Amino acid sequence: MPELPEVEVLVRHLEPLLRGKRITGTIVRRPKVIAPTSVRNLSAKLRRARFTGLGRRGKYLLFGLRSPDRTPLTLVGHLGMTGRMYLAPAEARPPKHAAVILRLGAASLVFEDTRYFGRLTLSTGCLDALGPEPLGPLFTVDGFAQSLKRSRQPVKVKLLDQSLVAGVGNIYACEALFRAGIAPSLPARRLRREQVKRLWAAVRTVLREAIECGSTVPLNFSAGRRGDRLFYFGRAPEARGSYTERLRVYGREGEPCVKCACPVRRVVQAARSTFYCPRCQATRSSLRRTGKAKPRAD
DNA sequence: CACCATGTTCCTTG
DNA sequence: CCAAGGAACATGGT
């Protein structure tokens, strides 16, 4: 469930549930996900600590805590590809892929992660290399332009670089480029100023809309398997305005583009699928090749 | 068996 | 130093 909007919605969901709660025990079932923190150190530091607040940085969850001696500490979470976090009754049987469980008296905070790519650790070093928050004041058109100018990499690949801007993943990178009408293969340094500005705005709009959607649709944060299409921002196929329906290009290979009806293409860049409309997101050279007029981006 | 998957990091090769 | 590609991590869905 892991790009910025999903994490943001999860943080907002968990914040009022956790604030003020005291950790009464820590159960680590997969030591890998707390690395480089040791099981012993995690248990010791978290013992009887209280949650003071929650935050987010890129795709990372930040759990603010205060230990009994009033020392503040931050627990950092990352959902990887398949991570979930939710509250469950303390007596509930842990799910098959429970990685870490924090006991909170009558409830437990469960960190479940099928593929175990996620993290829940006291080590905050992973935050150091992150670029600006796309929805914060430090993400500026000028700064964005400068970062892009220094790279020959395809712009789609650059958008996934968390040091350029934090929190954009594969889905929203595709969506932002589509919205801005920019070819994903275009080398980052080749974007014209006007395109940089459109992309900057598109990144923000796409993320804001997704957060809005995730905050509006009823979500089930705990259900995992079949029957739970709601977890991932409401995938109920029949639900209007649902998550997948809102995505304009991602996962739509072969389907008609929502703007021009031209079939959406899938290509692989940096080992990830990129979806785009070859007409709405044409490069200048492809326009020359096909002799088509450049369609207007919105 | 094949392929695909919302992420990050490391390694090799050029 | 940089870019690109691949693999690894580990599991499940189709």
Side-chain angles (χ1 to χ4, degrees), chain A residues 100-208:
Chain A
V100 180
I101 295 171
L102 301 184
R103 295 287 326 276
L104 313 165
S108 291
L109 176 65
V110 180
F111 175 31
E112 178 188 357
D113 186 359
T114 345
R115 290 168 73 176
Y116 303 110
F117 288 177
R119 287 288 179 276
L120 189 64
T121 179
L122 289 171
S123 168
T124 58
C126 48
L127 305 175
D128 296 346
L130 292 179
E133 279 297 316
L135 300 179
L138 300 183
F139 184 52
T140 61
V141 177
D142 284 342
F144 190 44
Q146 282 188 26
S147 308
L148 292 172
K149 212 177 298 174
R150 282 187 265 111
S151 173
R152 304 169 194 246
Q153 280 192 94
V155 59
K156 154 70 172 9
V157 177
K158 271 327 259 186
L159 281 178
L160 299 180
D161 179 349
Q162 301 298 296
S163 69
L164 194 147
V165 56
V168 177
N170 204 36
I171 291 178
Y172 296 110
C174 293
E175 293 296 310
L177 286 166
F178 176 74
R179 179 175 285 268
I182 294 169
S185 61
L186 189 63
R189 54 154 59 167
R190 301 281 291 273
L191 268 76
R192 299 190 315 263
R193 176 74 186 184
E194 168 190 334
Q195 292 178 302
V196 171
K197 198 165 178 186
R198 279 215 307 275
L199 185 55
W200 175 86
V203 164
R204 293 164 50 96
T205 305
V206 155
L207 296 177
R208 266 198 301 253

Side-chain angles (χ1 to χ4, degrees), chain A residues 32-33 52 62 80 90 98 159 175 177 203 227 229 233 249 290 297:
Chain A
K32 181 201 158 193
V33 311
T52 53
L62 308 177
L159 281 178
E175 293 296 310
L177 286 166
V203 164
R229 308 298 222 151
F233 279 23
V249 275
T290 60

Side-chain angles (χ1 to χ4, degrees), chain A residues 28-293:
Chain A
V28 178
R29 307 202 11 182
R30 278 276 176 158
K32 181 201 158 193
V33 311
I34 69 166
T37 305
S38 67
V39 174
R40 192 168 196 82
N41 188 25
L42 188 77
S43 309
K45 292 257 171 61
L46 295 187
R47 208 168 77 84
R48 298 185 59 77
R50 278 184 194 276
F51 287 94
T52 53
L54 265 69
R56 178 192 57 73
R57 183 78 175 87
K59 302 172 194 171
Y60 290 89
L61 298 99
L62 308 177
F63 299 90
L65 291 156
R66 193 168 55 210
S67 54
D69 65 5
R70 305 190 65 77
T71 312
L73 64 154
T74 303
L75 183 65
V76 178
H78 194 291
L79 298 172
M81 297 270 272
T82 52
R84 307 174 215 281
M85 291 188 192
Y86 54 88
L87 284 170
E91 67 273 14
R93 191 172 63 81
K96 183 177 178 189
H97 298 295
V100 180
I101 295 171
L102 301 184
R103 295 287 326 276
L104 313 165
S108 291
L109 176 65
V110 180
F111 175 31
E112 178 188 357
D113 186 359
T114 345
R115 290 168 73 176
Y116 303 110
F117 288 177
R119 287 288 179 276
L120 189 64
T121 179
L122 289 171
S123 168
T124 58
C126 48
L127 305 175
D128 296 346
L130 292 179
E133 279 297 316
L135 300 179
L138 300 183
F139 184 52
T140 61
V141 177
D142 284 342
F144 190 44
Q146 282 188 26
S147 308
L148 292 172
K149 212 177 298 174
R150 282 187 265 111
S151 173
R152 304 169 194 246
Q153 280 192 94
V155 59
K156 154 70 172 9
V157 177
K158 271 327 259 186
L159 281 178
L160 299 180
D161 179 349
Q162 301 298 296
S163 69
L164 194 147
V165 56
V168 177
N170 204 36
I171 291 178
Y172 296 110
C174 293
E175 293 296 310
L177 286 166
F178 176 74
R179 179 175 285 268
I182 294 169
S185 61
L186 189 63
R189 54 154 59 167
R190 301 281 291 273
L191 268 76
R192 299 190 315 263
R193 176 74 186 184
E194 168 190 334
Q195 292 178 302
V196 171
K197 198 165 178 186
R198 279 215 307 275
L199 185 55
W200 175 86
V203 164
R204 293 164 50 96
T205 305
V206 155
L207 296 177
R208 266 198 301 253
E209 279 185 8
I211 292 170
E212 165 71 21
C213 169
S215 314
T216 311
V217 170
L219 300 176
N220 182 344
F221 291 88
S222 60
R225 304 181 64 87
R226 254 192 180 287
D228 168 37
R229 308 298 222 151
L230 287 183
F231 172 68
Y232 203 21
F233 279 23
R235 278 208 179 188
E238 55 288 326
R240 287 231 163 231
S242 73
Y243 181 71
T244 41
E245 196 167 304
R246 264 186 344 87
L247 298 179
R248 300 195 193 173
V249 275
Y250 186 84
R252 291 184 182 264
E253 182 180 14
E255 292 178 36
C257 166
V258 297
K259 285 187 206 164
C260 78
C262 180
V264 168
R265 278 192 200 157
R266 182 178 84 92
V267 294
V268 174
Q269 295 179 290
R272 316 294 304 276
S273 287
T274 297
F275 298 88
Y276 72 104
C277 169
R279 249 179 96 187
C280 298
Q281 298 171 261
T283 60
R284 266 174 298 185
S285 55
S286 76
L287 285 172
R288 264 200 305 281
R289 280 196 300 274
T290 60
K292 277 176 184 154

